[in-house]
Amino acid sequence: MDTKKTAPESGKKISGFSKLSKRGKIKWMVEHFFKDPENVMHELMSYWHHNEDQQKILDGFSENTITNFPLPYSVAPNFLINGKTYCVPLVTEESSVVAAAASAAKFWMDRGGFHAEVINTRKLGQIHFKWKGEVEKLKQFLPDIRQMMLEDAKDVTQNMFQRGGGVESIEIKQWSGIENYFQLLIGFQTCDSMGANFINSCLESFSSSLENFFMNADSLPDEWRDVEIIMSILSNYTPDCLVRAWVQCPIKELGEFAGNLSAEEFAERFYTAVQIAKEDPYRAVTHNKGIFNGIDAVVLATANDFRAVEACGHAYAARNGSYSSLSDCKLDDGVFYFSLELPLALGTIGGLTTLHPMAKRSLELLENPSAESLMMITASTGLAQNFAAIRSLVTTGIQYGHMKMHLVNILQHFKASEAQIEAAKIHFAKNKVSFHDVRSFLETWKG
Ligand code: MEV
């Protein structure tokens, strides 16, 4: 290992950066890291919100904020889910994602829409600790420990209990490879909140109770009275916070979405594509990425925690020991059936969901759903996205639609005028889009 210390480049180390004003931070940054500081400073400041109060809210979400990073906010209408029609908000920078979600939603709207159910909403937390006692004794003490934990944490849990949530289960876990290690795996219900703060507060209180329980257990040998808490934190792996969404229709009704294929050929090819993603992790990752194109976009639009959702979803995809597709397809007696099952720990109250001004609007657009409804809407959007992606892959190929959507970005790259953009849209509606073809079109465009 190379242990040589490298000195920071002169002037690029700074103390007290967080104490500088926003303008001061930008000034220092552009002067040290950009070739045209004035322009960059001007550009960064142009993204400040014109309403100071709104800007203060956004700044409050993070540290060392210097400006905002805008992403497009889109909507996909015509999502019929369990008989209710939604217009789904999507925050994404990938243009084809919204078009795909919208066209799949419309297609399924005429075929009964999406069906969805929440299987469970259990969240988990862990207290990791070292203790020199025997596991059988710990099991024996558990009911008393549990009672003490709940009693001590009343201030933290009271509200959640009143709303119908709280602690559901406490299990003891051990890993033989770590000396004297034990874990309490605790199941929670957190109602309409994602529950991260609630769970972490409970766990920290519970771990103090655990220490106190053993400290005050006079009848135990001295070496058993010490508990060393290693850490207490929620687990983002929530395989029991599970939702399923599905669509189904007679195979013969797939013709409209099958391009040049017959409905039967399309269904067979679609089925095979899903089988490949079930077997081959290389394909499964891309397949699931397509699902998360839709899921992340809703999760972001509602200011839920997309890192938690992604980490958990991928772990779930590997739950049987090999990374596999999150969706499944069946062709049975002339019926096409396509489903998605995945864990989604989402909230519709608490966290940023009600603080972020746009997240609030997203929830309003969805008619203020419960966390369970949001799980079903999000899973349906993921399924729609997966359906549209596989449909493109097994018919025209993905670049066809993708490049069509990308056309405006390419035109803007070439600084095309409004008139050129309009002409290009007409021309490329019937022709294949490529970077090269767009450049040639603009070079030969006569106006
Ligand atoms: C692109 O963002 C997503 C896809 O690659 C998904 C897939 O291959 O299934 C099209």
Side-chain angles (χ1 to χ4, degrees):
M1 189 168 53
D2 184 2
T3 53
K4 253 191 289 159
K5 282 196 180 143
T6 319
E9 283 171 73
S10 83
K12 288 192 177 170
K13 181 175 177 187
I14 180 168
S15 303
F17 181 75
S18 64
K19 307 222 165 47
L20 294 178
S21 68
K22 208 144 108 174
R23 221 175 262 272
K25 286 189 186 86
I26 300 186
K27 190 163 180 306
W28 178 85
M29 188 191 77
V30 295
E31 280 170 359
H32 288 87
F33 294 93
F34 288 85
K35 292 196 176 61
D36 50 348
E38 260 179 45
N39 277 341
V40 177
M41 179 144 182
H42 183 74
E43 186 181 330
L44 292 177
M45 286 167 57
S46 74
Y47 291 110
W48 287 3
H49 203 293
H50 59 88
N51 177 325
E52 267 183 46
D53 292 338
Q54 294 282 356
Q55 186 57 55
K56 271 202 192 116
I57 295 176
L58 295 176
D59 288 342
F61 297 157
S62 189
E63 288 288 311
N64 286 347
T65 53
I66 55 168
T67 188
N68 305 309
F69 184 96
L71 276 176
Y73 182 103
S74 310
V75 294
N78 298 321
F79 262 94
L80 181 65
I81 304 170
N82 291 344
K84 189 169 159 61
T85 305
Y86 294 93
C87 180
V88 177
L90 300 159
V91 172
T92 176
E93 83 303 348
E94 194 173 326
S95 45
S96 52
V97 165
V98 178
S103 73
K106 187 117 184 294
F107 176 84
W108 285 108
M109 182 171 237
D110 299 333
R111 289 159 184 81
F114 293 82
H115 311 271
E117 64 180 359
V118 169
I119 296 159
N120 202 338
T121 51
R122 186 179 301 119
K123 318 273 172 41
L124 295 170
Q126 300 174 299
I127 298 177
H128 305 269
F129 62 101
K130 287 202 167 189
W131 183 60
K132 297 211 173 99
E134 290 158 3
V135 68
E136 286 312 320
K137 266 286 185 227
L138 189 57
K139 281 187 191 156
Q140 207 179 311
F141 292 143
L142 194 59
D144 292 340
I145 294 174
R146 180 190 169 116
Q147 198 179 353
M148 185 168 169
M149 282 175 164
L150 294 180
E151 192 61 36
D152 294 348
K154 260 194 176 142
D155 284 354
V156 183
T157 55
Q158 209 169 18
N159 271 349
M160 192 57 89
F161 273 127
Q162 268 162 16
R163 282 159 45 204
V167 175
E168 216 177 45
S169 57
I170 306 186
E171 264 178 79
I172 298 168
K173 298 241 166 195
Q174 259 185 310
W175 266 265
S176 52
I178 313 171
E179 202 184 9
N180 300 328
Y181 169 77
F182 292 94
Q183 179 196 123
L184 293 184
L185 179 65
I186 306 177
F188 294 86
Q189 287 294 343
T190 60
C191 305
D192 282 332
S193 61
M194 190 268 195
N197 282 332
F198 168 73
I199 294 175
N200 287 335
S201 304
C202 283
L203 293 171
E204 290 189 3
S205 167
F206 291 174
S207 48
S208 300
S209 307
L210 183 68
E211 281 174 319
N212 290 338
F213 179 89
F214 283 104
M215 203 159 35
N216 297 325
D218 299 336
S219 60
L220 293 182
D222 273 2
E223 72 272 20
W224 286 25
R225 292 177 62 189
D226 261 344
V227 167
E228 184 194 352
I229 303 290
I230 305 293
M231 57 189 163
S232 307
I233 181 78
L234 92 171
S235 170
N236 284 121
Y237 187 47
T238 53
D240 288 334
C241 188
L242 203 60
V243 57
R244 181 181 302 133
W246 69 97
V247 285
Q248 67 187 82
C249 74
I251 289 175
K252 61 178 173 356
E253 285 188 24
L254 291 170
E256 200 183 298
F257 228 57
N260 293 331
L261 302 177
S262 71
E264 288 70 23
E265 283 167 337
F266 172 77
E268 280 297 336
R269 230 185 243 192
F270 193 105
Y271 171 80
T272 308
V274 178
Q275 292 308 109
I276 296 168
K278 284 169 78 174
E279 296 291 331
D280 172 23
Y282 285 87
R283 174 59 202 147
V285 170
T286 320
H287 176 98
N288 289 345
K289 187 269 185 185
I291 293 172
F292 279 101
N293 273 345
I295 290 192
D296 285 350
V298 183
V299 172
L300 272 171
T302 54
N304 269 282
D305 184 341
F306 60 91
R307 288 87 59 211
V309 164
E310 284 262 358
C312 181
H314 295 298
Y316 189 74
R319 67 194 178 286
N320 296 325
S322 165
Y323 190 92
S324 177
S325 164
L326 286 166
S327 63
D328 199 3
C329 178
K330 284 194 193 99
L331 305 179
D332 191 12
D333 208 13
V335 176
F336 172 85
Y337 177 84
F338 185 44
S339 64
L340 169 66
E341 183 184 282
L342 88 166
L344 282 176
L346 300 179
T348 53
I349 60 168
L352 285 199
T353 54
T354 32
L355 287 178
H356 195 293
M358 287 309 292
K360 245 198 302 199
R361 291 292 181 206
S362 296
L363 291 172
E364 205 178 326
L365 173 65
L366 295 172
E367 300 182 41
N368 295 315
S370 63
E372 291 197 15
S373 298
L374 185 61
M375 286 167 78
M376 295 191 277
I377 295 165
T378 309
S380 301
T381 311
L383 185 67
Q385 201 59 45
N386 195 210
F387 178 75
I390 299 175
R391 179 250 182 183
S392 297
L393 289 170
V394 302
T395 55
T396 55
I398 206 73
Q399 281 309 86
Y400 178 79
H402 195 80
M403 291 308 281
K404 283 247 182 297
M405 298 305 303
H406 201 46
L407 174 63
V408 174
N409 294 341
I410 302 175
L411 288 162
Q412 269 159 2
H413 171 85
F414 287 124
K415 300 198 171 13
S417 66
E418 281 300 314
Q420 284 174 318
I421 291 177
E422 284 319 305
K425 279 184 184 165
I426 294 167
H427 174 80
F428 286 104
K430 293 196 205 79
N431 293 286
K432 194 172 118 297
V433 178
S434 75
F435 209 71
H436 170 265
D437 291 339
V438 175
R439 188 183 7 224
S440 310
F441 173 82
L442 292 175
E443 279 165 4
T444 53
W445 186 72
K446 300 275 183 328

